Amino acid sequence: AAKGLPVRSDATVMLGRGQGSREVNLWTFYREVRRRGGLVEVVKNHRWGKVAGALGLLWQPNVTKELRPTYATLLYAVEVMDMYGLEIDPDVSEDLLSQPLNAPSSAPAALPAPVSTPLAAL
C-alpha cells in the first residue's frame, strides 16, 4: 500500500447488487473518498454518487447506502492514520453509522480517541 498504510494493493470488496455489482479494489475506494476530502466531507456534501461512479458502479439507490458503512468499517481507521497519524479503535466505525458526522476541526482532538493497539492489516 502507498505511504505504508495497512491496505494491501490487491484487497477487494464486492459492492452493489445484481447486474450493478462489482468487485472494487479497497485502495481505489480509499483513494476516491480521500480525493473528495475524506469520509466526513463525502457524507456532508452527498458525494457517494460521485464515488460510486469513479469506482465503476452503476448508480442504484442501494449502492450509495452501501458505500458509507463499507468505508467506515474497512477504511475509516486507515484514513485517520493517514490524515492525522492517529490509531483509532476500528470498532468506532459502528458509532459512525448511527449518527451524523461533523466536519473535524484542524486539531486531531475532533477524532475518536486513539487506542494503543495497532491497526489490523486489511
Side-chain angles (χ1 to χ4, degrees):
K3 298 183 187 179
L5 295 175
V7 178
R8 292 183 10 204
S9 61
D10 63 345
T12 61
V13 65
M14 187 63 76
L15 294 172
R17 290 183 172 56
Q19 291 182 340
S21 68
R22 180 179 172 147
E23 191 172 27
V24 173
N25 179 280
L26 284 178
W27 178 248
T28 303
F29 186 19
Y30 174 74
R31 187 183 67 228
E32 292 301 330
V33 172
R34 281 296 311 278
R35 285 182 56 206
R36 291 160 178 81
L39 178 64
V40 172
E41 291 300 310
V42 169
V43 170
K44 183 174 96 176
N45 295 310
H46 309 285
R47 298 289 184 222
W48 288 117
K50 298 283 186 185
V51 171
L55 296 173
L57 296 168
L58 297 176
W59 186 89
Q60 299 172 5
N62 290 338
V63 169
T64 57
K65 291 178 183 176
E66 188 178 358
L67 293 175
R68 179 178 174 173
T70 301
Y71 187 89
T73 302
L74 299 176
L75 297 168
Y76 181 66
V78 175
E79 178 182 310
V80 172
M81 171 67 83
D82 188 27
M83 291 177 74
Y84 301 101
L86 297 175
E87 294 180 1
I88 63 168
D89 183 343
D91 292 334
V92 78
S93 63
E94 295 300 320
D95 296 333
L96 294 173
L97 304 178
S98 62
Q99 57 188 311
L101 293 175
N102 296 316
S105 68
S106 59
L111 296 168
V115 294
S116 59
T117 57
L119 292 172
L122 297 175

